[in-house]
Amino acid sequence: MAGPNGDPHVPAGGSGDEDGDGDSFGEEEYAAINSMLDQINSCLDHLEEKNDHLHACLRELLESNRQTRLEFQQQSKQQHTEPDVQGSQPPV
């Protein structure tokens, strides 16, 4: 029987090879738990890689936006100062 994510269902005790106390797990249960933990670890590693890549992309975008904003501000200053400079000069 599978769990909610399709993972193998690990019974909470009750396999035939136990010593009678309900708290111990057999080798199959430990192997199933180990397998699930390996899958979780792989998923977390994959998510961490995606997160690192996304972080790098966002930092590049931030830097690009900063450069664009600075260029826009410089152009804006030049446009506002050029008419004043041209208007204050006597006609030739």
Side-chain angles (χ1 to χ4, degrees):
M1 175 186 234
N5 295 325
D7 295 328
H9 177 70
V10 178
S15 66
D17 60 349
E18 294 182 1
D19 293 335
D21 56 347
D23 293 337
S24 64
F25 289 104
E27 287 185 32
E28 290 180 14
E29 286 84 4
Y30 281 117
I33 291 170
N34 193 36
S35 174
M36 285 187 268
L37 290 173
D38 286 343
Q39 290 175 357
I40 291 169
N41 191 39
S42 294
C43 289
L44 289 173
D45 287 343
H46 184 68
L47 284 174
E48 186 176 11
E49 288 175 12
K50 281 187 164 187
N51 187 46
D52 291 345
H53 178 71
L54 181 60
H55 186 259
C57 289
L58 290 173
R59 288 187 69 84
E60 288 179 22
L61 179 62
L62 179 63
E63 184 59 32
S64 171
N65 284 342
R66 283 180 182 160
Q67 290 293 337
T68 302
R69 187 187 76 232
L70 288 174
E71 291 171 8
F72 179 76
Q73 287 174 343
Q74 289 173 350
Q75 289 176 358
S76 179
K77 285 180 183 178
Q78 287 176 354
Q79 288 175 355
H80 289 303
T81 57
E82 284 178 2
D84 293 340
V85 171
Q86 291 175 355
S88 63
Q89 294 178 355
V92 179

